[in-house]
Amino acid sequence: MRFHLPILFGIASLAIAAPIKNSTDHRSLPDGLPTPSPSELEVIEENAHGTLPNGPPPPGISENGITNLKLVAFNELFEVAFFHELITNVTNQVLGYRFSSEDDYDFILNGLKVILAQEELHALDANNALSHFGIAPIEPCQYNFPVDNFNDAILLASTFTDVVLGTLQDVVERFAIGGDFALTREVSSIIGQEGEQQGWFRIMQGKVPSELPFLTTSDLNFAFTAIQSFTVPGTCPNINSIPLETFEPLNIITAPTAKTDHIKVSFYDRKDVEESTLWIVYINQQNLPIVEPLTVLSNEEHEIVAEALFPYEAHEMNGLTIAAVTTTEGPFPDASSVAKATVAGPGLIIIN
Ligand SMILES: *[C@@H]1O[C@H](CO)[C@@H](O)[C@H](O)[C@H]1NC(C)=O
Ligand SMILES: *[C@@H]1O[C@H](CO)[C@@H](O)[C@H](O)[C@H]1NC(C)=O
């Protein structure tokens, strides 16, 4: 190891809850994004250590394929804003983002700058493809990130990268179902790239680099909701053109550790659900979703606090678990059937 960061991760899991404060304006996206000039693009490619794919996209695309590209662009623009702000914080040695040696700064900043440029190319690639198909590209929002120090920022990066790694599996499947086979190879190359980032984020947290034998899967709608916890409401110019569902957020109040235990969650019940017919569903690895009954502890002004078993030991529930509250018991054959029954989610849990 070349660097000795003050890595303080006792935290085994993270529940995302975004406070409302503005920090990033999309005008502050770097390198001319979302529409860089040819010379800005040249600089991005140099920083990314590589280029945009130069073969033409296929002549046609399915409806679901378009939704895939929109979600990918929406996500990558958010990642660009995040890594740009993180680099700015480290560069400016903002309190909470200071390291003890110059070597650490060089090592971290070099890595982050390459990641930023690579994410910029991912965003441009998805938006270019949309333009190619005559669809308006996705525009960036204003964002805010619920972190104020380097360790929390890396934990957050590793959490959203986990969600992306699961969601791109869904993207590939939807392309396949829609007959968009010509787009699957490129997405697969991005999955590998995001996995490389994740290995680095995990090492920085003192974890083993590779998370699971089969990474946890997700669904486009869960990612769409999760990303919105980092956008300032009302600042995403064409989010309404993305035909995906936004669920009520699911807050993990007491996060589980690496043992079978009860977890406490809260969520806003907009739909007056029947309290006796609520379940929590856990999506972990490539396994069938796990369903547990949810016991409501309190329900005041539609804010439900509830408790459920987290059966860690029975299922070796390491890595990312996506939790969702549903109004049906299943059984659910896959993540997309869970999303269809979800009233609140995704709650994000990472163990080990
Ligand atoms: C946050 O951004 C919104 C939308 O641009 C704006 O209306 C609001 O005044 C901003 N709030 C703060 C605290 O800057
Ligand atoms: C950058 O630092 C500011 C000030 O602490 C903080 O509000 C913001 O969330 C940080 N952003 C990232 C990505 O770490």
Side-chain angles (χ1 to χ4, degrees), residues 20-23 25 27 142 232-235:
I20 301 304
K21 65 169 170 55
N22 296 353
S23 54
D25 188 297
R27 281 169 301 237
Q142 288 174 32
V232 179
T235 67

Side-chain angles (χ1 to χ4, degrees), residues 76-261:
E76 298 289 0
L77 288 167
F78 142 71
E79 292 200 35
V80 167
F82 175 85
F83 287 111
H84 175 56
E85 197 177 291
L86 179 55
I87 288 167
T88 305
N89 284 354
V90 174
T91 304
N92 295 341
Q93 308 199 357
V94 168
L95 189 67
Y97 297 81
R98 294 175 189 164
F99 311 132
S100 49
S101 89
E102 280 307 312
D103 282 356
D104 290 347
Y105 281 103
D106 292 345
F107 186 77
I108 295 293
L109 281 174
N110 281 343
L112 289 176
K113 283 175 180 171
V114 175
I115 288 175
L116 170 63
Q118 292 174 340
E119 299 294 9
E120 289 174 336
L121 293 186
H122 294 167
L124 290 171
D125 190 42
N127 265 343
N128 287 348
L130 285 170
S131 301
H132 166 88
F133 295 118
I135 312 280
I138 296 302
E139 294 174 44
C141 318
Q142 288 174 32
Y143 306 91
N144 68 67
F145 309 108
V147 292
D148 63 3
N149 63 77
F150 185 76
N151 288 352
D152 285 353
I154 294 300
L155 179 58
L156 181 60
S158 124
T159 304
F160 67 67
T161 302
D162 254 356
V163 174
V164 171
L165 283 164
T167 305
L168 292 180
Q169 299 168 29
D170 194 26
V171 165
V172 172
E173 185 171 288
R174 286 170 190 245
F175 275 149
I177 291 169
D180 303 317
F181 56 86
L183 295 166
T184 54
R185 190 178 294 258
E186 214 175 283
V187 175
S188 308
S189 86
I190 295 175
I191 295 174
Q193 192 276 351
E194 300 278 347
E196 291 179 324
Q197 292 185 41
Q198 183 70 307
W200 191 45
F201 300 148
R202 288 177 54 84
I203 288 172
M204 285 198 262
Q205 296 167 63
K207 295 177 174 179
V208 296
S210 55
E211 182 171 321
L212 288 164
F214 300 94
L215 294 182
T216 295
T217 200
S218 180
D219 178 274
L220 255 54
N221 297 283
F222 289 138
F224 187 55
T225 300
I227 297 162
Q228 287 178 71
S229 64
F230 308 112
T231 60
V232 179
T235 67
C236 301
N238 61 356
I239 191 175
N240 292 341
S241 74
I242 306 174
L244 292 169
E245 201 169 334
T246 305
F247 306 114
E248 290 300 325
L250 178 61
N251 307 307
I252 311 287
I253 302 175
T254 49
T257 55
K259 66 179 186 0
T260 297
D261 207 348

Side-chain angles (χ1 to χ4, degrees), residues 63-80:
E63 276 302 311
N64 278 337
I66 292 169
T67 305
N68 275 344
L69 293 176
K70 288 178 173 176
L71 189 276
V72 170
F74 185 62
N75 174 67
E76 298 289 0
L77 288 167
F78 142 71
E79 292 200 35
V80 167

